[in-house]
Amino acid sequence: MKNLVTLFFIVIVATAVKAQVSFTANTPGSVPVYSNHFLYGTNTGYYPTWTDNTIANIAAGNVALGVRGAGAKTLRPSLPESFLETWGYNIRVAEFQHYASLGIQDNTVFLGLPASAAHKDNASYGGCADASNLFSNMYEPIWDGGANGTPVNENNYYALYVYKTVSIYKDYVKFWEILNEPDLDNGVNGWKASGQAGNWWDNDPTPCELVNIKAPVEHYVRLLRISYEVIKTVDPTAYVTTGGIGYPAFLDAILRNTDNPVDGSVNATYPLTGGAYFDCLSFHKYPLYDLQYWDNGIGAVAYKRHSDAAAEAFINQRTEMQAVLNTHGYNGSTYPQKVFICTETNLPRKQFGNFIGGDESQRNYYAKILVEAQKNNILQIYAYAIGEGAVYSVATDPYQTMGFYKALSGIGPDANGGAYLQEYTDEGIVNKTCSDILYGYRYDAARTAAMNLPATIGGGAFKNAVDDYVYVLWAKTATDQSEVATATYSFPAAMMVAPQLDKREWNFSQTLSTSNTASNTVALTGSPIYLSQQFSLVNIDKKDSINNPAQYQFAYSVYPNPAVTSINVRLELKQRQQLSLKLFAATGQLAAVIAPAKNYEKGVNTVQYTIPAALSSGVYYLQLEGGQKQLVKKIMITH
C-alpha cells in the first residue's frame, strides 16, 4: 500500500512539473478570453458581528433567508499568508462555497504579505530606515522539480504560498491581485509629470516612497513573475493582475524594469520586463481628488464637483493606463492587450473640506460608471465598500461614508444568528437597480452609435442573448456642486424604437415601479434612467414579484416572429386582468386593434390572433395594454 501511495505521489508531482508554464503575457494568445458578463462587485471588509457569509448575503442577496442584497455578482476578499499559515489554507473553502451558492462568481482575491518574521525580508533598501514588507527568499529558484513534495521550491516562501493558495481556491477565483496598492505613496511623487522633481516617469520610485511594500520596484516585478509562473501553471484560465494601482507612472516603471534586483536591466537571467508577468490591469480610482483645476480666467483654483466630471475622471484613468501599455507594446499587435478591472472606486456621500460629497452625487456617479465601464471594456467594478466605516454624523473622513449600506458595525447577525438590520444607502439601491436590470446584457457599441447622442446626454445601449435592448440615458451634469441637469432625447426614426417605452428610475430596485414614456420625447435629468420596449420578469427577485403582485400583473411572448397570417400570444397573468392588444406601425400610428379589451384569467393563456390581410409587410409594434401598464414587442410581418 505504501508503495502505491508513493507511486501516486510521484505521478502527481511529475504531472505538475510537466505542466509548468512555458509562456508569458508577451506570448500571442496568452491572455484568456473573458466570456462572462460584466460583474457588479464589492469589497467585503470587516465589521464586528458580521461574518464572511452574512456579508455575502447582504452583498448578493439570499432568497432562502429573505435577504435582498445589493446586486453584487462578485466579491474581492483577501487571503494573506499570515491568515492562512495561522488557521490553515482550507480555512475559507466553506465561505467560498457559500459565495458560489448565492450566484457570486469570478471573484478577485488579493494576495497579502508574509506571515512571520521568518518569511519576511528584513533588509532595508535605498537608504530607507524601514525594512521591506515583502517576502524573503524571493530570488530563490521558483521551481525545484518536486524535490520536497510540491513542484515549487519550498524555500521560496512566496512561491509556496501562491501555489498552495491557488491550488485550493482556483475554482472560486478568476482574478489574482498581487498585493494591494503597491504604488501607494501618500501623494508624494507618483502623480508628478515627467520633468518634475522626483517624478516616476524619469526615476524609479524609491523604496521609502512605496509605503505598502518598502522595496524597490524590481522586487514588485519579481512578485509578478513568481505569481505568473505559479498561477498559470496551476490554473491557465486565471488572470494575474496588478494590485489595484493608482499611478500611470508606476505602471510605466513596471513595464520598463525587469526583476533584476541590481538595476532592473535585461540579461539572460532576467530577460523580460514586468508586462510579461500579468495579463490584467487592476486599478483603483477615487475621483474626489481630480475635480479641481487652475482657472486662468479667475486666477484661482476652480472646481467641477459633479457626477459627470467624476465619471470622466474615472474613465480618464483607464485611458491613461492604456496609453502607457500602448507605449510598451501591449496594444494587441506587438504584445497581447491587457484586460481591465477596477477593484476600488467611490465618492463619499458626505462632504469634507473642498472635496465632493453627497447622496445624489455619489449615487449618480456610481450609476454612470457602471455604464461607462462597460462602454470602455472594464470587466468588473468593485465598490469601496460594502458598508460605511462610521455612522454618518460622526464620520471624520471621506472613506467612512462610502458603501452600499450605512454603518454596519454592531447591527448585524453574528455566527449565532440574529436579525439583518442593514440599511441601504442610495448607492446600494443604484447598484442593485443596475445589476437587476442590466446583468446578462452586453454593451452594444453599434446600437449606441445609432442613438446619435448629443454631447449633453450620456448613456448607451445594451443587448441580451435574445436581442432585447435596454437603453440607459441621463442629462450630463456641468455645474460645480450641483446634480441638476435637464435634457430631452428623441430616438432616431431609423432605429425603429417602439413609440412607447417602459421606464425605470435609479431606485427601481426599491419602488419596483415601471412607467411609460414616449420614445420621441424622453425627459432626462442628471440621474440615469433605464428604458426598454418591454422589461421582463427575468431579472427581478422572486421575492419582489411575490410581495408586490400589483407591480407585475402580466407578461407575454409572441410567436412566430416573423409572422405571416397569424400570431400566437402567450399571456402570463398574476391575477385576472382586462387586456387589449394593438398593432402600431414603425411610424407610431395605430395600424390595427388585434383584440379589444377583454378579461383574461389568472395563469397562462395562449391565444391565436389573425393578422389583418390589409397590412403590408414590415416592422410593427405589438402593444399589450392593461390599466396603466403597457408592454411592447417588435414583430415582423411578411405576407
Side-chain angles (χ1 to χ4, degrees):
M1 181 67 179
K2 182 178 179 180
N3 289 338
L4 287 176
V5 171
T6 302
L7 177 61
F8 177 77
F9 172 77
I10 292 172
V11 170
I12 291 298
V13 170
T15 301
V17 173
K18 183 178 180 180
Q20 183 177 320
V21 66
S22 60
F23 58 86
T24 72
N26 290 354
T27 305
S30 60
V31 177
V33 175
Y34 191 73
S35 58
N36 202 354
H37 295 285
F38 175 84
L39 293 182
Y40 303 80
T42 183
N43 285 268
T44 51
Y46 169 74
Y47 308 92
T49 72
W50 292 83
T51 67
D52 288 356
N53 284 357
T54 56
I55 285 291
N57 290 341
I58 66 171
N62 187 320
V63 174
L65 298 178
V67 180
R68 300 186 64 245
K73 304 297 183 185
T74 187
L75 298 177
R76 183 193 180 230
S78 175
L79 290 172
E81 191 206 33
S82 56
F83 179 74
L84 298 178
E85 287 286 332
T86 301
W87 300 101
Y89 275 78
N90 290 297
I91 185 65
R92 280 294 178 263
V93 170
E95 281 73 14
F96 278 85
Q97 291 172 341
H98 179 70
Y99 302 161
S101 74
L102 301 176
I104 292 170
Q105 56 197 294
D106 288 1
N107 297 295
T108 294
V109 162
F110 64 91
L111 298 173
L113 296 174
S116 64
H119 286 188
K120 185 176 179 295
D121 181 2
N122 293 305
S124 298
Y125 298 92
C128 186
D130 297 323
S132 168
N133 288 327
L134 301 185
F135 287 76
S136 60
N137 293 0
M138 291 196 307
Y139 282 89
E140 287 264 344
I142 301 171
W143 307 96
D144 66 5
N148 296 297
T150 70
V152 298
N153 175 9
E154 281 79 355
N155 290 326
N156 189 318
Y157 302 129
Y158 181 71
L160 181 61
Y161 156 57
V162 173
Y163 177 78
K164 291 164 69 175
T165 305
V166 177
S167 295
I168 291 170
Y169 294 95
K170 63 184 177 66
D171 291 340
Y172 310 102
V173 180
K174 180 59 68 175
F175 298 89
W176 295 95
E177 276 188 312
I178 311 310
L179 304 191
N180 181 52
E181 297 185 344
D183 60 342
L184 180 68
D185 77 333
N186 292 330
V188 177
N189 284 320
W191 60 271
K192 291 181 178 178
S194 177
Q196 292 184 280
N199 80 86
W200 292 354
W201 300 98
D202 307 319
N203 315 278
D204 285 344
T206 68
C208 284
E209 289 173 335
L210 299 176
V211 175
N212 282 344
I213 65 174
K214 296 290 185 179
V217 67
E218 293 85 359
H219 288 201
Y220 184 70
V221 175
R222 181 65 178 176
L223 285 181
L224 290 174
R225 181 176 181 177
I226 297 169
S227 301
Y228 191 90
E229 289 197 23
V230 174
I231 292 171
K232 291 294 186 176
T233 295
V234 175
D235 181 9
T237 69
Y239 293 87
V240 179
T241 89
T242 54
I245 63 176
Y247 294 120
F250 184 75
L251 175 60
D252 190 74
I254 293 173
L255 298 179
R256 67 178 182 254
N257 281 287
T258 71
D259 54 329
N260 186 337
V262 176
D263 58 4
S265 63
V266 173
N267 63 27
T269 304
Y270 307 104
L272 300 173
T273 55
Y277 306 121
F278 68 95
D279 41 23
C280 174
L281 193 143
S282 170
F283 70 98
H284 291 175
K285 187 63 180 178
Y286 293 95
L288 69 161
Y289 303 114
D290 298 86
L291 305 182
Q292 60 278 326
Y293 61 99
W294 181 262
D295 188 332
N296 287 326
I298 62 174
V301 173
Y303 297 90
K304 46 183 178 179
R305 291 164 293 188
H306 54 85
S307 58
D308 275 285
E312 181 180 20
F314 175 85
I315 294 302
N316 285 346
Q317 179 88 334
R318 190 247 189 265
T319 302
E320 291 167 10
M321 294 289 191
Q322 185 62 61
V324 176
L325 291 168
N326 290 343
T327 297
H328 291 273
Y330 294 95
N331 54 11
S333 178
T334 305
Y335 302 122
Q337 278 195 320
K338 311 294 186 186
V339 297
F340 277 74
I341 61 174
C342 176
T343 53
E344 286 185 25
T345 188
N346 220 324
L347 291 181
R349 72 179 184 101
K350 182 177 181 180
Q351 185 165 7
F352 292 89
N354 289 324
F355 293 123
I356 190 173
D359 283 303
E360 192 173 11
S361 57
Q362 184 191 64
R363 78 172 188 239
N364 285 348
Y365 166 72
Y366 209 75
K368 290 169 184 179
I369 64 165
L370 291 176
V371 171
E372 296 296 336
Q374 296 179 69
K375 293 172 66 174
N376 287 273
N377 296 313
I378 298 172
L379 306 181
Q380 301 179 334
I381 287 183
Y382 294 81
Y384 181 88
I386 182 68
E388 294 184 330
V391 174
Y392 181 90
S393 61
V394 299
T396 57
D397 74 70
Y399 297 96
Q400 290 179 324
T401 60
M402 298 178 182
F404 291 161
Y405 295 99
K406 296 179 183 179
L408 292 172
S409 294
I411 66 167
D414 58 20
N416 298 316
Y420 283 82
L421 301 176
Q422 72 282 356
E423 183 180 352
Y424 288 108
T425 61
D426 284 357
E427 180 185 53
I429 295 171
V430 155
N431 190 73
K432 180 163 176 55
T433 292
C434 191
S435 176
D436 284 353
I437 293 174
L438 285 188
Y439 177 68
Y441 285 73
R442 299 184 187 276
Y443 172 64
D444 190 319
R447 189 72 168 175
T448 300
M451 293 172 71
N452 195 27
L453 295 176
T456 56
I457 293 177
F462 296 82
K463 182 173 69 172
N464 67 9
V466 294
D467 293 341
D468 286 333
Y469 282 94
V470 171
Y471 305 97
V472 189
L473 289 169
W474 66 88
K476 289 186 178 180
T477 55
T479 304
D480 182 43
Q481 290 195 300
S482 175
E483 291 299 303
V484 175
T486 59
T488 301
Y489 176 72
S490 178
F491 282 88
M495 292 184 68
M496 295 189 295
V497 173
Q500 291 287 320
L501 295 174
D502 286 354
K503 179 176 76 170
R504 291 176 175 172
E505 306 281 356
W506 67 271
N507 58 353
F508 166 76
S509 59
Q510 298 303 297
T511 67
L512 303 176
S513 176
T514 302
S515 60
N516 297 108
T517 182
S519 61
N520 62 351
T521 53
V522 182
L524 302 174
T525 68
S527 296
I529 60 172
Y530 305 84
L531 303 172
S532 174
Q533 292 182 180
Q534 180 200 334
F535 278 119
S536 70
L537 301 179
V538 173
N539 290 330
I540 307 304
D541 289 349
K542 291 180 180 178
K543 178 175 179 289
D544 292 343
S545 60
I546 292 170
N547 292 346
N548 298 274
Q551 296 293 338
Y552 299 106
Q553 295 181 349
F554 56 87
Y556 80 116
S557 58
V558 179
Y559 60 95
N561 190 7
V564 181
T565 59
S566 65
I567 53 172
N568 297 296
V569 177
R570 183 183 183 276
L571 302 172
E572 180 183 340
L573 306 180
K574 299 297 182 183
Q575 60 189 39
R576 192 170 188 265
Q577 179 79 37
Q578 186 178 78
L579 301 172
S580 65
L581 201 60
K582 299 175 183 178
L583 202 61
F584 289 85
T587 59
Q589 296 173 314
L590 179 65
V593 176
I594 300 297
K598 61 173 288 188
N599 288 322
Y600 294 86
E601 297 304 316
K602 176 183 176 180
V604 176
N605 301 259
T606 301
V607 187
Q608 186 177 74
Y609 298 101
T610 300
I611 296 173
L615 292 181
S616 59
S617 298
V619 174
Y620 291 84
Y621 294 93
L622 190 65
Q623 178 176 288
L624 183 68
E625 183 174 343
Q628 299 299 311
K629 180 71 173 176
Q630 299 171 338
L631 299 181
V632 180
K633 286 189 176 294
K634 183 167 67 174
I635 68 169
M636 176 73 73
I637 294 175
T638 57
H639 286 307

